[in-house]
Amino acid sequence: MFYSDGVSVQSGLKLAGKRVLVYGLGRSGRGAARFLAQEGVEAEWLDARPAAEDLALMEELGFAQGNAARPYDVVIAAPGVPIDHPDLLALAERGAEILGEVVLAARARPHLPMVGVTGTAGKGGTTVLIAHLLRQSGLQALEGGNIDPPLLDVVDRAEVAVVELSSFQLERVPRLRLPVAVITNLGVDHLDRHRTVEAYHAAKLNITAGQEAGDVLVLPAGLKVPTRAEVRHFDPHRLVLADGTPVLAVQDLPDGLHPANAAAALLAAEALLRHLGRPVEPELLARGLMTAKPVAGRFETVAQAAGVRFIEDSIATRTIAVQAALERATPPIAWLVGGRDKGAELEPLRQAAAGRVCKVIAFGEDGEKLAQQLGLPFEVVAGADGDSSMQNAAQAGWDALGESGTEGAGSVLLAPIGTSFDQFKDYKARGASFKAAAQALAQRLAAPHTGDKR
């Protein structure tokens, strides 16, 4: 792994005797701390609100709590800490080098090939799928980064690391050279952090800033970005190699796999195999696609009843992700909308919902407001807590499809637009609640003399 100026990043990893601070714990910071301890590096830590598991790990590793007023040589900053955080600016001014986990991994393991994946939506599913295709082709490929597990947890077990990269992580890798990079799409997100769409997109484009001729950048058809890499565009309607060789018909993809993710993953896996001088076998790649499983919580069918699919896409809070879910779900759709509004653009969703959504089921703190703004027929449900809200929403969705007059088809879709923090710890907890509600409802509907009729 090299910087774009040709200097090996390994030259920067000389931490023996250095004063090292892990700033920000959580999943990424814990991964960095474990890695440093494994490398024999003594470090300190700092976190404004450490969780119990953070404190337990720091005690186990023997890392003491640090102080931002002290001088440090190297600071490993968690992605959630803004690059302009006052503490980081002050530490840098006193001579500290501020790194993220990705650069730390690249410096520590410079010969480990990495495939980087980013985008406003679809990056997690694409990351997992690329790793799966590479494993099918005979490589010990492991995914990590923004997706579990942390990148530093996999670098010593992988022949290839497939790294999901958030815009927060990419702010700290402006010169990292990746042999293969993927941008699934570019929409709008995280304006609370980046402030403008332009700054958000600039962070995303850091994924290719260090690439050179001979590297490969995989992009959706129609997207143009500045790069020195060879660009290969993917088309969600064609699962093919770079030269057009067909691999699999789109209709043969397993349920829950997004064709765009599959098309991008194919081109990325092919590019990495060729980079390593490994054979590219369409039959193995096809088998990989047919055996792949969707990432939990990403447009996952969690229950079925009388031909109706209950689809959990709790992570769909970005306009581009919600739009994709609406376009993929089988109509008629009872669309579960709610949570805490974060200002998503709604006009594309109105267009995607036209003729497909029979009713919006509004729940949570801002569900009714969002439903009113969408301008579609809606029903408001409530509950004593998040779980009861999900139970009532799943039932209302089922009832709405019955009222639509369509028998044996349709979808109850949780693609909520709003964040989960009004009623749940995170989107995973909300998704798990919907899954439990949908499965309980499906079991009731399957029982004799249920009383629920379509």
Side-chain angles (χ1 to χ4, degrees), residues 148-170:
D148 283 334
L151 174 59
L152 289 163
D153 281 0
V154 306
V155 292
D156 288 330
R157 297 184 288 118
E159 285 183 273
V160 176
V162 186
V163 191
E164 180 187 350
L165 294 167
S166 70
S167 59
F168 297 175
Q169 290 168 310
L170 284 167

Side-chain angles (χ1 to χ4, degrees), residues 387-410:
D387 288 341
S388 59
S389 288
M390 282 294 102
Q391 292 161 9
N392 294 336
Q395 181 67 59
W398 168 263
D399 294 341
L401 292 179
E403 294 164 4
S404 74
T406 302
E407 294 292 331

Side-chain angles (χ1 to χ4, degrees), residues 4 36 40 55-56 64 87 90 137 142 146 156 165 228 241 252 266 289 294 308 343 373 402 431-432 440 450:
S4 60
L36 291 170
L55 297 173
D87 282 353
S137 299
L142 297 175
N146 191 55
D156 288 330
L165 294 167
R228 290 178 292 274
L241 300 180
D252 292 334
L266 268 179
L289 289 175
V308 171
Q373 292 172 346
T450 179

Side-chain angles (χ1 to χ4, degrees), residues 95-434:
E97 182 181 16
I98 313 298
L99 304 179
E101 60 176 326
V102 179
V103 168
L104 177 61
R107 288 188 177 185
R109 302 293 182 264
H111 301 298
L112 175 67
M114 292 188 192
V115 178
V117 184
T118 196
T120 303
K123 59 184 180 294
T126 303
T127 298
V128 171
L129 187 51
I130 294 169
H132 179 71
L133 293 177
L134 292 174
R135 287 192 292 271
Q136 286 290 310
S137 299
L139 288 169
Q140 176 62 10
L142 297 175
E143 63 269 23
N146 191 55
I147 195 170
D148 283 334
L151 174 59
L152 289 163
D153 281 0
V154 306
V155 292
D156 288 330
R157 297 184 288 118
E159 285 183 273
V160 176
V162 186
V163 191
E164 180 187 350
L165 294 167
S166 70
S167 59
F168 297 175
Q169 290 168 310
L170 284 167
E171 285 181 319
R172 294 193 171 98
V173 294
R175 294 190 297 137
L176 187 69
R177 183 174 178 181
L178 296 165
V180 181
V182 181
I183 301 176
T184 57
N185 43 56
L186 282 179
V188 180
D189 200 16
H190 298 306
L191 297 188
D192 54 338
R193 164 82 169 249
H194 298 290
R195 298 187 178 89
T196 67
V197 174
E198 291 76 16
Y200 168 65
H201 286 180
K204 289 291 193 184
L205 293 180
N206 274 345
I207 198 170
T208 189
Q211 289 191 296
E212 299 288 347
D215 301 326
V216 172
L217 176 63
V218 178
L219 298 173
L223 180 62
K224 296 180 180 180
V225 304
T227 184
R228 290 178 292 274
E230 177 186 345
V231 173
R232 296 180 185 170
H233 286 105
F234 65 88
D235 178 347
H237 302 102
R238 300 180 67 227
L239 301 178
V240 298
L241 300 180
D243 65 359
T245 300
V247 174
L248 189 71
V250 172
Q251 59 266 30
D252 292 334
L253 281 174
D255 184 45
L257 281 193
H258 197 301
N261 296 352
L266 268 179
L267 292 180
E270 177 195 7
L272 196 281
L273 288 167
R274 296 198 188 283
H275 170 76
L276 297 177
R278 302 288 287 260
V280 176
E281 301 182 49
E283 298 81 6
L284 291 179
L285 294 172
R287 187 183 308 160
L289 289 175
M290 289 187 290
T291 57
K293 299 185 184 304
V295 178
R298 267 80 162 179
F299 200 83
E300 179 185 9
T301 298
V302 295
Q304 295 191 59
V308 171
R309 296 169 63 204
F310 292 80
I311 301 170
E312 194 265 287
D313 204 3
S314 177
I315 198 173
T317 60
R318 306 168 180 90
T319 298
I320 195 168
V322 179
Q323 182 177 351
L326 289 170
E327 291 170 349
R328 290 177 65 196
T330 301
I333 302 167
W335 179 16
L336 276 57
V337 170
R340 182 168 294 161
D341 182 18
K342 66 172 188 177
E345 185 183 3
L346 298 183
E347 181 54 36
L349 304 183
R350 294 188 194 96
Q351 297 176 19
R356 299 177 64 79
V357 171
C358 62
K359 183 180 277 189
V360 170
I361 309 301
F363 68 91
E365 184 177 299
D366 292 321
E368 183 173 4
K369 180 181 78 169
L370 288 166
Q372 290 173 339
Q373 292 172 346
L374 286 166
L376 300 168
F378 71 89
E379 173 185 347
V380 178
V381 298
D385 54 21
D387 288 341
S388 59
S389 288
M390 282 294 102
Q391 292 161 9
N392 294 336
Q395 181 67 59
W398 168 263
D399 294 341
L401 292 179
E403 294 164 4
S404 74
T406 302
E407 294 292 331
S411 307
V412 178
L413 171 65
L414 174 64
I417 305 176
T419 65
S420 58
F421 303 123
D422 60 328
Q423 294 180 306
F424 297 94
K425 175 186 175 183
D426 53 28
Y427 78 89
K428 292 180 182 179
R430 178 170 63 186
S433 179
F434 173 75

